[in-house]
Amino acid sequence: MEELKRIIEEKGKVLSDQVLKTDSFLNHSVDPVLMDHIGRDFAGHFRDAGITKVITIESGGIAPALATAMHLGVPMVFVKKGISKDL
């Protein structure tokens, strides 16, 4: 997806050879138009795969997963990174 590539090149920050910081458009400040485009693109790839739920980890995955779920017409579920304090 060229739009995502362009945004990563413009706004992403390389912190190491394994970490790309995307909080300026994905975490702390979410670009809703970009998320809609990502969701539409992801949904297009998986439209005929029989997807019944979109699952993601919390934080950075929630916005694109929600947009994808909306375009697929299915629920979105996110998994927490740690153990709940209620347990």
Side-chain angles (χ1 to χ4, degrees):
M1 178 176 183
E2 290 302 313
E3 181 180 14
L4 178 57
K5 180 180 174 183
R6 180 181 57 77
I7 296 291
I8 289 171
E9 289 173 345
E10 289 175 8
K11 298 182 179 182
K13 294 180 183 168
V14 176
L15 300 182
S16 74
D17 63 344
Q18 296 179 353
V19 178
L20 174 64
K21 189 172 182 180
T22 59
D23 63 346
S24 67
F25 60 92
L26 186 60
N27 299 83
H28 300 118
S29 176
V30 177
D31 181 335
V33 173
L34 177 63
M35 292 306 110
D36 181 62
H37 294 170
I38 288 171
R40 183 178 297 122
D41 191 60
F42 285 178
H45 287 288
F46 297 103
R47 175 110 24 237
D48 299 324
I51 303 296
T52 59
K53 287 183 182 66
V54 174
I55 300 174
T56 187
I57 61 167
E58 64 182 337
S59 74
I62 292 175
L66 179 60
T68 303
M70 287 176 52
H71 284 283
L72 287 172
V74 300
M76 187 236 12
V77 176
F78 69 90
V79 179
K80 290 189 164 283
K81 294 178 189 174
I83 298 172
S84 174
K85 293 179 182 179
D86 296 334
L87 296 179

